[in-house]
């Protein structure tokens, strides 16, 4: 029945003279999202973006298109030749389908794109609504204030268009329109959600994962690859940097106060992440930290980790409850993978009684017992890199 999708965007519409840049990027991203399915015609027309469906299942295509950042809604529509009587027939067919689905009220919303047409937009709505009422024989009523169904009819310069449903997208901005950031990606619930949220704002992402192989096993690394692959569905190809920090953790455990282990390890991770970010032309770091969620994520702990970097750190989950983060993980498809039980580098050397109110000067004094530059250089020299696509 449907032969075209109408793509609706939000913030892009207020970008003024730069709007075309965002539209063009959005079209490219839609094509990339649909590439595994087939080659689609995606184009701009009359200030809108369209996707021609051809013989593809519209529900499958909608499910993919709605995941593209920058899109607030997708409408399956029927596009036909410029014929007013044909327009009314299509509207009737669409309404009949809604009646079969059990809807009890409707309204018609019309738009006259061809100003030479004899009826105004309001007159079109009245005329089409009357035609539909006469054909449905009392099986559905008109409700112009709170209709269960809205049949949208457009009479354009070169064609007509009829649509009803709008399937919500994620909104945000097209990927690649707001710079690039390096995400500290663990195998847990939080960091994949944080990465997704920043990417939703148009930021390209790369990821760095810290591990302690062979103390942590290969399955733990495979879990992170799987999470990266899910994120790549939304973010495109993601470069994953795998950093073994086992020697760093051993040095901390040998020379430093046990209660400071987590904070000290975190400071090393942030330093390494910043160095990678600068090499890869990233302008910020992304973490999944949330205030008070674990001992190292108190205000005092975050102050100590912030002190070792001088580029912005994006923490989109900072004030979110765990239940909200879990809900977001379920929505984007990372939750089931994140909860697979595998030991990570943080839990491996976790102290029995971690400090919750670390003082920066004391942490720096503990850190002075270590050859920080040497440990960081050795870790970076042995990085493994993998480009991951969905």
């Amino acid at each position: 029945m449907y032969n075209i999708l109408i793509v609706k965007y939000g913030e892009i519409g207020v970008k003024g003279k730069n709007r075309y840049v965002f539209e063009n990027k959005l079209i490219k991203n839609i094509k990339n999202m649909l590439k595994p399915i087939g080659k689609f015609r995606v184009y701009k027309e009359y200030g809108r973006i369209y996707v021609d469906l051809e013989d593809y299942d519209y529900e499958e295509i909608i499910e993919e298109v709605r995941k593209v950042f920058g899109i607030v809604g997708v409408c399956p529509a029927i596009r036909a030749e410029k014929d007013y009587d044909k327009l009314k027939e299509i509207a009737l067919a669409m309404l009949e389908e809604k009646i079969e689905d059990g809807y009890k009220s409707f309204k018609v919303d019309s738009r006259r794109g061809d100003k030479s047409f004899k009826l105004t937009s309001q007159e079109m709505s009245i005329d089409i609504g009357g035609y539909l009422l006469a054909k449905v024989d009392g099986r559905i009523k008109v409700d112009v204030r709170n209709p269960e169904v809205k049949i949208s009819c457009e009479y354009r310069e070169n064609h007509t268009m009829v649509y009803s449903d709008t399937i919500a997208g994620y909104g945000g901005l097209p990927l690649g329109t707001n710079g690039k950031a390096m995400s500290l990606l663990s195998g847990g619930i939080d960091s994949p959600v944080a990465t997704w949220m920043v990417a939703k704002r148009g930021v390209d992402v790369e990821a760095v994962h810290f591990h302690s192989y062979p103390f942590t096993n290969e399955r733990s690394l495979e879990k992170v690859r799987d999470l990266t692959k899910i994120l790549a569905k939304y973010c495109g190809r993601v470069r994953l940097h795998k950093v073994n920090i086992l020697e760093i953790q051993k040095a901390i455990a040998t020379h430093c106060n046990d209660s400071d282990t987590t904070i000290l390890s975190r400071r090393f991770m942030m330093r390494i992440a910043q160095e990678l970010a600068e090499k890869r032309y990233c302008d910020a770091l992304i973490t999944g930290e949330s205030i008070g969620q674990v001992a190292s994520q108190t205000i005092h702990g975050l102050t100590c980790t912030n002190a070792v970097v001088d580029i912005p750190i994006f923490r989109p989950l900072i004030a979110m409850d765990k239940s909200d983060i879990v809900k977001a993980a379920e929505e984007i498809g990372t939750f089931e993978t994140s909860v697979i039980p595998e030991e990570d580098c943080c839990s491996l050397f976790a102290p029995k009684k971690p400090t919750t109110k670390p003082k920066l000067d004391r942490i720096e004094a503990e850190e002075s017992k270590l050859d920080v530059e040497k440990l960081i250089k050795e870790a970076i020299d042995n990085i493994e890199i993998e480009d991951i696509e969905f």
Side-chain angles (χ1 to χ4, degrees), residues 1 42 51 61 89 92 94 99 137 149 172 174 228 247 253 257 335 341 353 357:
M1 181 176 177
V42 185
V51 181
I61 306 308
E89 290 174 10
L92 177 60
M94 194 170 289
I99 293 172
D137 193 28
V149 173
T228 307
E247 294 306 315
N257 189 329
F335 180 75
K353 291 184 178 180
K357 293 184 179 180

Side-chain angles (χ1 to χ4, degrees), residues 283-294:
D283 302 308
L285 303 179
I286 304 168
T287 77
E289 293 162 311
S290 175
I291 293 176
Q293 187 168 185
V294 295

Side-chain angles (χ1 to χ4, degrees), residues 82-308:
K82 186 179 176 182
D83 184 314
Y84 186 63
D85 290 333
K86 180 68 173 178
L87 171 65
K88 294 199 286 187
E89 290 174 10
I90 294 171
L92 177 60
M94 194 170 289
L95 185 61
E96 288 283 3
E97 187 179 80
K98 297 303 179 183
I99 293 172
E100 288 180 12
D101 290 339
Y103 291 97
K104 301 298 182 183
S105 64
F106 80 101
K107 70 174 285 188
V108 175
D109 183 31
S110 300
R111 181 179 297 181
R112 183 188 65 167
D114 180 358
K115 300 306 179 184
S116 66
F117 186 56
K118 60 182 179 180
L119 301 178
T120 65
S121 296
Q122 186 175 1
E123 289 169 343
M124 280 177 61
S125 294
I126 295 170
D127 182 58
I128 296 170
Y131 169 81
L132 297 179
L133 273 178
K135 294 291 185 180
V136 297
D137 193 28
R139 288 174 291 146
I140 190 169
K141 66 178 182 178
V142 172
D143 185 344
V144 295
R145 294 185 180 276
N146 296 296
E148 294 181 9
V149 173
K150 183 170 74 172
I151 305 295
S152 297
C153 301
E154 299 184 0
Y155 190 84
R156 295 279 189 172
E157 291 281 352
N158 301 307
H159 64 266
T160 59
M161 190 94 71
V162 183
Y163 57 96
S164 178
D165 299 320
T166 300
I167 294 84
Y170 290 118
L173 292 169
L175 198 68
T177 58
N178 262 326
K180 185 177 176 184
M182 180 70 68
S183 175
L184 282 74
L185 187 66
S186 73
I189 297 171
D190 303 334
S191 58
V193 175
T195 305
W196 182 90
M197 290 179 71
V198 174
K200 178 184 168 184
R201 297 305 304 162
V203 178
D204 273 326
V205 295
E206 293 195 12
V208 53
H209 173 67
F210 298 96
H211 64 92
S212 305
Y213 185 82
F215 281 29
T216 52
N217 58 41
E218 180 64 31
R219 292 193 304 274
S220 178
L221 284 170
E222 191 60 38
K223 177 182 175 181
V224 173
R225 290 191 195 98
D226 290 342
L227 287 170
T228 307
K229 185 175 288 188
I230 295 169
L231 290 172
K233 179 66 175 176
Y234 303 94
C235 305
R237 185 176 63 185
V238 177
R239 175 159 288 189
L240 177 63
H241 306 261
K242 292 168 282 187
V243 184
N244 193 325
I245 59 168
L246 180 58
E247 294 306 315
I248 292 173
Q249 291 177 304
K250 284 180 179 179
I252 292 171
T254 301
H255 299 290
C256 301
N257 189 329
D258 180 66
S259 64
D260 298 326
T261 298
T262 302
I263 292 293
L264 291 168
S265 297
R266 193 70 179 171
R267 281 164 63 90
F268 273 94
M269 292 179 193
M270 298 297 276
R271 287 187 178 100
I272 292 169
Q274 173 167 310
E275 190 161 331
L276 287 174
E278 290 171 347
K279 287 181 179 179
R280 295 295 302 160
Y281 306 103
C282 297
D283 302 308
L285 303 179
I286 304 168
T287 77
E289 293 162 311
S290 175
I291 293 176
Q293 187 168 185
V294 295
S296 64
Q297 294 178 22
T298 61
I299 291 177
H300 308 81
L302 295 176
T303 298
C304 289
T305 54
N306 284 351
V308 297

